[in-house]
Amino acid sequence: MSPPRLIEASASIARTLVRESIWADGRCSWLGHCLSEVNPGSPATVTPLGPDLYSGTAGVAWFLAELAAVTQDKEVWRTAEGAMRHALAGVDSLARTSHLSLYNGCLGIALASSRAGHALRNEELRARAVAVARRSVALGDAGGPLDVVSGSAGAVLALLAIGEMESSNDLVDAAERLADRLADAAIKRDGTWSWSTRTASGTYMGPRPLTGFSHGASGMAVALLEVARRTKRADLANGADAAFAYEDRYFSDRHDNWPDLRTDGVTPWGNGTEAAYAFAWCHGAPGCALARVRALEQGCAEDRLLAGVEAGVRLVLRQLSDPSEDLADATLCHGMGGVLELLIAAAPVLHRPALVDEAVRVWEQLIAQHAAWCSWPSGLATRGRAPGLMIGLSGVGHGLLRACGFGSSVLMPCGRPPVRE
């Protein structure tokens, strides 16, 4: 089996999405299991997809557009455009507090429209991306959350990516203002920066400032670094370094991991008696190490950042070699797709191309398990069918593309594109 087999598996997922699409007025969407099913014991509920990036049609459009650019499949191309039109039409349906949100709100739709517009050579989608992003900045709630998934840190990543792709300097300026908000909100103590869960993502995450990419210090650090790189502001770069320092105070050499500081016993990884150590993009070493990869890509040369990347890679390789490791979930947010993104991103930074080979090997295993009947389980506790990007079918297809050196990273929107040999 070779990377072309991965492309075929990705294309098979796209064809399934094409067949299952529901069309009206030149737009298309899907039915999928509800996000509430992420919680164990929740009843199965099927609902129409919303417009957002995380689980809605914007994310499906992103995947289909980048796959269409590779395969030139006309039906996939048409469906990508239809899904993106559905997402753009749904911008007004999102709550005001979702304007400045990457994965759950309007800025994610704008970023997907820009990515799809470039992939499909569709100038209308690119223009709509800028318009939606500018409207989101104008209407955005400055008192909203701070994290990558729903708040200012994710908004920074989206605005910078769109601003660079579409040469819109005003969006870069807006990103700098949000970075200042992150800096002002930081808890600055003993050379570290952290963010209270109440202001970062909500009290349901527990009482302690979090580590991790999706809701914790790693994601904040990346947002600060991205703005610092463009504005040459040393204060923001120093803040990013202090955010990494906060996480590293908790690093466990024994686990090669940073603990998940959400309430002990509540997380899927904790048992209520000792610290929990997650193994995903959202919480745990794969996401923390991915953030440090991005810092190294931008020229940060601290030895502890490199050590963090090496620890994350070491943990991933050890877990993947464990025959008891459950490979069923191949999705991006908290499945193997997000874990394997670290190997793909770290390979050029560590000068270890074999890491990409390992990612391909694991994808081959996953294909053998699921591709024949397109039986890829979602990242929901029920494993119910989900077409979306972060915990569903589109994310699996996207991960397969990434392992072959195609597509732009959904998990690190400002990261450099993959290098294809």
Side-chain angles (χ1 to χ4, degrees):
M1 195 178 291
S2 62
R5 176 71 177 96
L6 272 63
I7 293 292
E8 173 51 34
S10 183
S12 176
I13 288 172
R15 290 192 294 270
T16 297
L17 291 168
V18 168
R19 286 196 304 272
E20 295 178 354
S21 59
I22 302 168
W23 285 81
D25 300 324
R27 306 169 191 161
C28 68
S29 186
W30 289 263
L31 295 174
H33 281 248
C34 184
L35 267 181
S36 64
E37 293 180 36
V38 75
N39 299 311
S42 298
T45 306
V46 175
T47 184
L49 265 60
D52 61 278
L53 182 64
Y54 190 94
S55 60
T57 51
V60 180
W62 183 330
F63 159 58
L64 292 178
E66 294 200 325
L67 188 278
V70 175
T71 65
Q72 300 297 303
D73 185 301
K74 292 181 180 179
E75 282 302 302
V76 174
W77 195 294
R78 170 177 169 268
T79 306
E81 291 181 327
M84 200 63 247
R85 286 193 292 268
H86 177 277
L88 289 164
V91 165
D92 289 336
S93 70
L94 295 176
R96 179 180 177 83
T97 54
S98 295
H99 283 295
L100 294 177
S101 172
L102 170 54
Y103 290 102
N104 296 323
C106 298
L107 280 180
I109 295 173
L111 179 58
S113 190
S114 179
R115 295 292 194 198
H118 278 268
L120 303 176
R121 303 187 296 277
N122 185 317
E123 295 301 319
E124 179 185 355
L125 292 182
R126 293 179 59 185
R128 291 291 304 279
V130 174
V132 170
R134 286 174 173 161
R135 181 174 181 266
S136 298
V137 169
L139 296 177
D141 180 6
L146 299 172
D147 62 10
V148 165
V149 168
S150 300
S152 295
V156 165
L157 302 182
L159 288 167
L160 292 177
I162 299 167
E164 287 201 340
M165 286 189 294
E166 310 302 345
S167 301
S168 299
N169 290 332
D170 59 314
L171 299 183
V172 177
D173 293 340
E176 184 176 6
R177 293 193 295 273
L178 289 173
D180 283 331
R181 180 176 179 241
L182 289 176
D184 291 342
I187 302 168
K188 304 175 178 71
R189 185 176 298 151
D190 300 328
T192 70
W193 283 21
S194 61
W195 288 262
S196 76
T197 53
R198 182 181 61 82
T199 56
S201 51
T203 55
Y204 68 96
M205 288 287 185
R208 292 176 292 181
L210 298 182
T211 64
F213 197 95
S214 61
H215 302 287
S218 279
M220 308 295 193
V222 170
L224 293 171
L225 271 179
E226 295 293 348
V227 175
R229 178 171 70 89
R230 290 160 178 79
T231 62
K232 311 302 182 186
R233 284 183 53 181
D235 60 325
L236 296 181
N238 291 337
D241 186 66
F244 286 131
Y246 170 76
E247 288 191 331
D248 287 344
R249 289 194 174 186
Y250 287 95
F251 181 77
S252 168
D253 291 318
R254 181 165 70 92
H255 294 89
D256 272 334
N257 204 344
W258 295 261
D260 180 352
L261 297 178
R262 293 175 293 174
T263 303
D264 291 345
V266 174
T267 73
W269 301 276
N271 61 16
T273 61
E274 61 181 23
Y277 289 89
F279 183 62
W281 167 81
C282 49
H283 298 276
C288 292
L290 187 63
R292 287 157 175 78
V293 167
R294 184 58 184 154
L296 293 171
E297 287 177 347
Q298 294 185 81
C300 299
E302 288 85 351
D303 289 343
R304 61 187 176 82
L305 294 177
L306 180 59
V309 174
E310 291 173 337
V313 168
R314 197 161 53 240
L315 175 64
V316 169
L317 294 178
R318 187 165 67 247
Q319 291 291 104
L320 293 178
S321 66
D322 183 350
S324 67
E325 179 67 34
D326 181 9
L327 298 182
D329 183 355
T331 60
L332 298 180
C333 185
H334 46 265
M336 278 297 127
V339 170
L340 297 176
E341 177 75 12
L342 172 60
L343 299 186
I344 294 164
V349 169
L350 299 181
H351 307 290
R352 293 173 61 184
L355 293 177
V356 177
D357 297 335
E358 176 64 9
V360 169
R361 183 192 69 79
V362 176
W363 276 117
E364 289 170 348
Q365 280 186 259
L366 290 162
I367 289 170
Q369 281 182 255
H370 303 297
W373 305 102
C374 205
S375 63
W376 301 92
S378 72
L380 301 169
T382 62
R383 299 296 200 230
R385 182 74 151 215
L389 186 64
M390 292 299 287
I391 56 172
L393 206 53
S394 293
V396 175
H398 173 83
L400 289 161
L401 272 183
R402 291 282 296 163
C404 295
F406 294 101
S408 50
S409 177
V410 170
L411 303 180
M412 186 64 71
C414 290
R416 67 186 182 191
V419 177
R420 295 194 297 275
E421 294 182 359

